[in-house]
Amino acid sequence: PTEPKKQRGTDTDHGSWTTSAYRVVDEVRDGIIATLDAGTPTVDAFASPVNARFPKFWPRQDDAFEKDWRKEGLLWINPPFEKFSRVVQKIAQDSARAIVIAPNWTHLNWHKALQGITLSRVLIPKNKKLFQNDEGKTFAQRKWSTHAYLVDGSLDL
């Protein structure tokens, strides 16, 4: 059986891509947190014991979407690409505050909604190796740019 084709503009054009195995490189993470000046995130919402960026994290089996994000203070959200639409909806639903690492895919509806709840953002320079896999290998960004967004779901979408 084949997966249903993703509709352009609704979620992502990369239906089978998952990014949950990748973490943001420490130096980049620390720069994002310092620049956004919103405090240190209290939980890594989409992580594993290997790639968690903070002591508290929600691995796949704990289903981040079942948690009350508002209770967590400031979340760190580097979700699988295919989850962005649900992530933005959940931030708004729970009136959560978060730092969200996201590609600058302006043609997608979730990106437009993300802009509506953004307090500030940081462009991650293209020359920075942004992601690291479980073995420690770092990867340059793809052809798109990436931002770290400081968001507040209590803002109107």
Side-chain angles (χ1 to χ4, degrees), residues 54-71:
F54 301 94
K56 184 176 179 182
F57 62 95
W58 296 327
R60 180 174 291 174
Q61 63 269 25
D62 284 349
D63 192 357
F65 293 108
E66 295 298 318
K67 307 288 185 183
D68 182 350
W69 292 7
R70 175 182 24 239
K71 291 182 178 180

Side-chain angles (χ1 to χ4, degrees), residues 88-142:
V88 175
Q89 289 171 1
K90 180 71 170 165
I91 291 168
Q93 173 189 327
D94 286 3
S95 296
R97 291 184 68 243
I99 295 173
V100 179
I101 309 303
N104 194 32
W105 291 345
T106 59
H107 64 288
L108 298 176
N109 290 337
W110 64 258
H111 193 275
K112 293 174 182 96
L114 182 66
Q115 299 305 307
I117 59 173
T118 296
L119 298 171
S120 61
R121 68 181 182 187
V122 175
L123 175 66
I124 300 166
K126 291 279 286 182
N127 64 343
K128 287 280 186 188
K129 289 195 173 183
L130 175 59
F131 295 111
Q132 187 174 34
N133 69 11
D134 291 346
E135 289 80 40
K137 181 178 178 184
T138 57
F139 299 89
Q141 296 180 65
R142 302 276 182 141

Side-chain angles (χ1 to χ4, degrees), residues 29-51:
R29 178 204 56 201
D30 295 346
I32 289 167
I33 291 169
T35 302
L36 291 175
D37 194 27
T40 301
T42 56
V43 66
D44 192 337
F46 295 88
S48 72
V50 175
N51 71 10

